[in-house]
Short mmCIF file of all heavy atoms in Angstrom, two decimals:
data_model
loop_
_atom_site.label_atom_id
_atom_site.label_comp_id
_atom_site.label_asym_id
_atom_site.label_seq_id
_atom_site.Cartn_x
_atom_site.Cartn_y
_atom_site.Cartn_z
N ARG B 380 118.49 174.35 20.51
CA ARG B 380 117.19 174.30 21.20
C ARG B 380 117.42 174.41 22.71
O ARG B 380 116.71 175.15 23.41
CB ARG B 380 116.44 173.01 20.89
CG ARG B 380 115.95 172.93 19.45
CD ARG B 380 115.20 171.61 19.17
NE ARG B 380 114.84 171.51 17.76
CZ ARG B 380 113.81 172.13 17.19
NH1 ARG B 380 113.01 172.88 17.93
NH2 ARG B 380 113.58 172.01 15.89
N LEU B 381 118.38 173.68 23.22
CA LEU B 381 118.64 173.72 24.67
C LEU B 381 119.15 175.09 25.09
O LEU B 381 118.73 175.64 26.11
CB LEU B 381 119.63 172.62 25.06
CG LEU B 381 119.07 171.19 24.99
CD1 LEU B 381 120.17 170.18 25.28
CD2 LEU B 381 117.90 171.00 25.94
N ALA B 382 120.02 175.67 24.27
CA ALA B 382 120.57 176.99 24.61
C ALA B 382 119.45 178.02 24.74
O ALA B 382 119.49 178.90 25.60
CB ALA B 382 121.58 177.43 23.55
N ALA B 383 118.44 177.89 23.90
CA ALA B 383 117.35 178.86 23.92
C ALA B 383 116.46 178.69 25.15
O ALA B 383 115.64 179.55 25.45
CB ALA B 383 116.51 178.73 22.65
N LEU B 384 116.61 177.57 25.85
CA LEU B 384 115.73 177.28 26.99
C LEU B 384 116.44 177.38 28.33
O LEU B 384 115.86 177.12 29.38
CB LEU B 384 115.15 175.86 26.85
CG LEU B 384 114.19 175.61 25.68
CD1 LEU B 384 113.90 174.11 25.56
CD2 LEU B 384 112.89 176.38 25.86
N GLU B 385 117.72 177.76 28.32
CA GLU B 385 118.52 177.60 29.54
C GLU B 385 118.34 178.72 30.57
O GLU B 385 118.90 178.65 31.66
CB GLU B 385 120.00 177.44 29.19
CG GLU B 385 120.60 178.74 28.66
CD GLU B 385 122.05 178.56 28.22
OE1 GLU B 385 122.65 177.54 28.57
OE2 GLU B 385 122.55 179.44 27.52
N ASP B 386 117.57 179.76 30.26
CA ASP B 386 117.38 180.84 31.23
C ASP B 386 116.56 180.35 32.43
O ASP B 386 115.99 179.26 32.39
CB ASP B 386 116.68 182.02 30.53
CG ASP B 386 115.31 181.61 30.07
OD1 ASP B 386 115.20 181.00 28.96
OD2 ASP B 386 114.34 181.82 30.80
N PRO B 387 116.46 181.16 33.49
CA PRO B 387 115.76 180.69 34.70
C PRO B 387 114.24 180.54 34.53
O PRO B 387 113.59 179.93 35.36
CB PRO B 387 116.05 181.78 35.74
CG PRO B 387 117.13 182.63 35.17
CD PRO B 387 117.12 182.46 33.71
N PHE B 388 113.67 181.10 33.49
CA PHE B 388 112.21 181.12 33.36
C PHE B 388 111.64 180.08 32.41
O PHE B 388 110.69 179.38 32.74
CB PHE B 388 111.75 182.51 32.91
CG PHE B 388 111.71 183.52 34.02
CD1 PHE B 388 112.82 184.32 34.28
CD2 PHE B 388 110.58 183.64 34.83
CE1 PHE B 388 112.80 185.24 35.31
CE2 PHE B 388 110.56 184.56 35.86
CZ PHE B 388 111.67 185.37 36.11
N SER B 389 112.21 179.98 31.19
CA SER B 389 111.57 179.22 30.11
C SER B 389 111.13 177.84 30.55
O SER B 389 110.00 177.43 30.30
CB SER B 389 112.53 179.10 28.92
OG SER B 389 112.79 180.38 28.39
N VAL B 390 112.04 177.10 31.19
CA VAL B 390 111.74 175.74 31.64
C VAL B 390 111.64 175.69 33.16
O VAL B 390 110.71 175.08 33.71
CB VAL B 390 112.86 174.77 31.19
CG1 VAL B 390 112.59 173.36 31.73
CG2 VAL B 390 112.98 174.76 29.68
N PHE B 391 112.58 176.37 33.83
CA PHE B 391 112.75 176.13 35.27
C PHE B 391 111.66 176.74 36.14
O PHE B 391 111.65 176.51 37.34
CB PHE B 391 114.14 176.57 35.70
CG PHE B 391 115.21 175.65 35.16
CD1 PHE B 391 115.98 176.00 34.06
CD2 PHE B 391 115.40 174.39 35.73
CE1 PHE B 391 116.94 175.13 33.55
CE2 PHE B 391 116.35 173.52 35.23
CZ PHE B 391 117.13 173.89 34.14
N ARG B 392 110.75 177.49 35.56
CA ARG B 392 109.60 177.98 36.34
C ARG B 392 108.58 176.87 36.58
O ARG B 392 107.64 177.05 37.35
CB ARG B 392 108.91 179.14 35.62
CG ARG B 392 109.60 180.46 35.85
CD ARG B 392 109.31 181.01 37.25
NE ARG B 392 110.56 181.42 37.84
CZ ARG B 392 110.64 182.15 38.94
NH1 ARG B 392 109.55 182.56 39.58
NH2 ARG B 392 111.83 182.46 39.44
#
Side-chain angles (χ1 to χ4, degrees):
Chain B
R380 290 180 185 281
L381 290 175
L384 294 171
E385 70 184 345
D386 63 277
F388 281 92
S389 296
V390 176
F391 289 102
R392 278 284 132 168

